[in-house]
Each structure stands twice: as structure tokens, then as C-alpha cells.
Amino acid sequence: MNVADSERAATRLRSAGYELTDSSEGADVLIFNTCSVREKAERKVFQRINHVRRERAGKQPLIGIMGCVAQLEGRAVFDSSPPVRFVIGTGATDRIPELLERVEDGEERVSDLGIRQETEVWDVSPVERHSKHIAFVPVIEGCNKFCTYCIVPYSRGRERSRTAAEIVTEVRHLSDLGYKEVQLIGQNVNSYRPKAVDGLEKFSGATPFSKLLRAVASTGIPRIKFTTSFPRDFHPDIVGAIEENENLCNWIHLPVQTGSNRVLRAMRRGHQIEDYWKHVETIKNARRRISLTSDIIVGFPCETAEDFADTLGLVERCRFDGLYIFKYSERKGTPAARLTDSVSASEKASRFITLERLQTSVQEGIYNSYVGSEVTVLVEGASARASVDMTGHTACNKVVNFRGTSGLVGRLVRVRVTEAKPHSLYGEFLGAM
Ligand code: 5AD
Ligand code: SF4
């Protein structure tokens, strides 16, 4: 989501006449796009600002921050980090040029924490996209769920869905430009609920989101991925839509956060493990093999050794294709911050390692099962190791490396898997599609 916001900010700035540069050296203006989901990310931005200022020998740049930290801290940033001249909240991304102009006109400190206006258009220039082959397309912004540990509902505000007509038009345009993959993004994509159903009437589907999936599939773009899905709002028809449309990728990211019902309640996730398990069964029993990935937080304030054992049990049972594990990080202003943090730092670290080990062994089995099979890969570039090794992702979102030439970048190719590591596959090139 932050990458997508940076792309939008860059689009606005360039059309207002600014030139963009990849390096901070020599830049007249520096804008930091910030994340506040965990404390470490939040701390990093202020360290980076100080670092840049120390490195710069000559004229200091104008410094601004955007994103979640900007929204949450607001004008307090001016006191805690005096070099910052402008603060752009999460709803003000489209207004960056006007705000910057005020700073350049001499206004000492400028901030905008207002919401995004519905009249503001959501266009992103292809020049600013992070890839020439894969594009992020936000479908819903914000979050209404208020999980007790999470800062996002405060930093990103309430859920607002873009209209289906706007989304489908954007995907068609991307397809015409030669993009091979779109990733529909949002804090909770399956909570998609536009004000009007324009553009969705002729598509079947049990929920607005499964209708949207079918509408986007009808554009014919080769690949559509979507993330993140929220368990409580997960409807089996999402699996139905994937089964019906080859271009809806066979990968679902469905964060469970914990394997304990007691902790789920304390997190106010609004569902129980039994409900989650039903979704897992639907996904695993699909006609196409669908990859399932998840997020888990270890060391939530009331998490006992027994609760953690339940998490290990769930991970063993679900056999996730991938898992992001996080140590609980207290976020000021959230309900969980009022609970006593009962799990020591060392215990959190030890639970993290135990869970990571278990997941690695599960993943080894899953990745090994691909050896000998053929997969389709969207080639994204040369691998970090060697320029003759190309790398890309399968539709089920696994990294695949293979011997090939840079002429294949941006193409969909067939690869036979010859070797597996816990986080990536290796194979031989069979041919372009
Ligand atoms: N501490 C640790 N992890 C968190 N996440 C969200 N808030 C916190 C927090 N306070 C994790 C959740 C979420 C992912 C994006 O970040 O697992 O799914
Ligand atoms: Fe945070 Fe929960 Fe919303 Fe996800 S669903 S963004 S974890 S509040």
C-alpha cells in the first residue's frame, strides 16, 4: 500500500513540474513515506532523517514526511524532528504539490491531515509504477476492524471502496499498456463494498468482492492477484471465482494471527479458529491447487505457553505455503496497549524462532513437492546472484530462479522445477508462452 502511495505521490509531483531522483544526494526536497505498523518501522524514519542531514555537507534539503507516521503524529513531528517542514497525512497524498508549494513560498511549517476528497482522481502514471509488468491497483483504503493490537484504523481511517467501474477501467488500461499482472490491494480487499454497484451488475458473485474479481478477470489481463483477505469476511465464493477464471491467481493471503481462540478474542478478530479452519478446508479442497499464506503475531500480551502451543498446532495443521511472523509490538493508543505486556522480550524471541523453525520444515515439504513439475513464471528480472539467472513468481506466488536471458523479462515462461529450497524454487527454462 505504501509503494502504491509513493507511486501516486510521484505522479502528482511530476505533473506539477518536479523532477524525481532515486538518490537523496543533491535532491532539493526529500519526502519520507512512513509506516507505523510496528515500532521499529516508526523509529527508522527519524533515524534516516538525521542520517541524511549529517551526510549532507552543503545546502540542506526541504524535508517532509507522508504516510502513517505523518497521520498519527501530525504537527507534533515539528517538535520531535525540527528539520521536518511538512507533514502529509494518509488522505492528503494527492495534495502534495500544493503543500510543497506553500513550503517553497516560505511558509515555515505545513501540514494536512484531512481526508481524501472524492473528486480527487486516482491516476498513477506508468512511468512511476514500481514495475513495467506488475501494477498495484488499490480497491479499498482504510480499515474498520479495530483489532486491538493494530494502529491501521487510526492511521488510515475508515474503509472506502473505489468504484468497480474505475478499477476495471484502470486494469483495462494497464492491460493495453502491456502489464501482465495486477495486484488488487487493500487492508482487507474482501471487505470491498462500493457505494454504488455500477459496473458489477452483470457479474455473478455472492459478495461485491467476488463480483469484482470476476469483473477484473473479464478484462483478460493474464494475471490477477489480491491481498490481504480478512478471515471474518472471507466468502467461499472467492474460491469459486478462482476456480472459474484461470487468470485469477491461485494464491490467498489470509492472516490468522494466532492459533488460540482465547487470544483471538482478546485481539477482537471477530471469528474463531473453527471458522478459520473451514476457510482453509474450502481453499485446500478447491479444484485448482491454491497457495495459502498467513500472518502470525507471537507474544500478544495475554499469550500463555498453552496459547502458543495452539498456534504451533494450527501451523502444523494448515501447512501454509508461506508465513510472516511478527513479534507483538505495542502501539500507543490501541486497546492492547492498555494490557500488561506479560510476555518477556526473550520469550517473544524464543517463540518467534520456534515458530519460524516449524514453518521452515513445513515449507520444505511443500516446496519439495514442486520438484519435477512445470510452472508458469512471470519473469521480473535478473536474480541478485548472477545476471544469467532470471527470477520471477509463479501464479501461486512462489519465487522461481532459472537460467535465461534478460530478453525474457516481462514474459510469461514455462519452467520445469529441478530443485527446491524452503523459500524458492530452481528450474530449467522450457519456453516462452
Ligand atoms: N505488532 C506486531 N505485528 C502487528 N501487525 C499489525 N499490528 C501489529 C503489532 N502491533 C501485523 C499483523 C498484520 C501484519 C500486516 O502486521 O500480523 O497482519
Ligand atoms: Fe489492522 Fe485488523 Fe485492520 Fe488488519 S484487519 S489492518 S490487523 S485492524
Side-chain angles (χ1 to χ4, degrees), residues 37-38 149-150 255 257 295 297 326-329 331:
V37 78
R38 283 170 292 275
Y149 52 81
C150 186
Q257 313 297 358
D295 293 347
I297 297 175
F326 305 102
K327 280 185 258 178
Y328 169 72
S329 165
R331 306 287 52 221

Side-chain angles (χ1 to χ4, degrees), residues 1-28:
M1 191 59 91
N2 281 21
V3 174
D5 287 344
S6 292
E7 292 173 349
R8 235 166 72 226
T11 303
R12 298 291 169 279
L13 286 164
R14 206 188 290 269
S15 68
Y18 291 94
E19 240 179 88
L20 286 114
T21 164
D22 282 340
S23 119
S24 66
E25 281 163 49
D28 303 310

Side-chain angles (χ1 to χ4, degrees), residues 140-157:
I140 179 169
E141 291 183 283
C143 185
N144 292 353
K145 309 298 190 274
F146 289 94
C147 303
T148 53
Y149 52 81
C150 186
I151 199 71
V152 170
Y154 309 90
S155 64
R156 292 239 171 218

Side-chain angles (χ1 to χ4, degrees), residues 95-266:
R95 299 188 288 272
I96 288 189
E98 292 94 291
L99 299 167
L100 189 47
E101 206 172 304
R102 278 168 50 194
V103 181
E104 291 194 298
D105 285 348
E107 208 172 314
E108 214 26 61
R109 304 202 136 164
V110 174
S111 67
D112 183 344
L113 304 179
I115 56 169
R116 196 170 82 83
Q117 302 301 315
E118 290 197 4
T119 48
E120 280 166 334
V121 280
W122 193 300
D123 65 317
V124 177
S125 157
V127 186
E128 316 303 350
R129 294 213 182 248
H130 73 288
S131 154
K132 283 210 273 292
H133 319 290
I134 301 170
F136 292 135
V137 177
V139 299
I140 179 169
E141 291 183 283
C143 185
N144 292 353
K145 309 298 190 274
F146 289 94
C147 303
T148 53
Y149 52 81
C150 186
I151 199 71
V152 170
Y154 309 90
S155 64
R156 292 239 171 218
R158 297 297 73 75
E159 289 171 1
R160 296 163 307 276
S161 298
R162 288 174 75 195
T163 68
E166 200 182 324
I167 295 164
V168 170
T169 304
E170 185 174 342
V171 174
R172 273 219 182 87
H173 182 57
L174 289 162
S175 181
D176 291 344
L177 289 170
Y179 281 85
K180 296 290 192 311
E181 179 176 311
V182 288
Q183 298 200 359
L184 309 181
I185 58 169
Q187 258 71 40
N188 297 296
V189 282
N190 58 327
S191 308
Y192 178 72
R193 204 160 289 280
K195 276 195 196 135
V197 288
D198 61 320
L200 287 181
E201 309 85 344
K202 55 181 193 290
F203 293 96
S204 63
T207 63
F209 183 62
S210 58
K211 284 185 183 177
L212 178 73
L213 285 179
R214 289 184 175 91
V216 175
S218 77
T219 63
I221 193 154
R223 281 185 170 191
I224 301 141
K225 292 180 178 174
F226 55 89
T227 181
T228 292
S229 298
F230 185 63
R232 201 188 64 204
D233 292 347
F234 190 87
H235 194 286
D237 191 38
I238 293 177
V239 174
I242 293 176
E243 285 177 326
E244 287 161 30
N245 297 278
E246 192 59 40
N247 58 347
L248 286 179
C249 289
N250 50 336
W251 165 48
I252 292 171
H253 183 60
L254 195 64
V256 64
Q257 313 297 358
T258 169
S260 150
N261 273 331
R262 207 178 66 82
V263 179
L264 268 185
R265 258 194 308 280

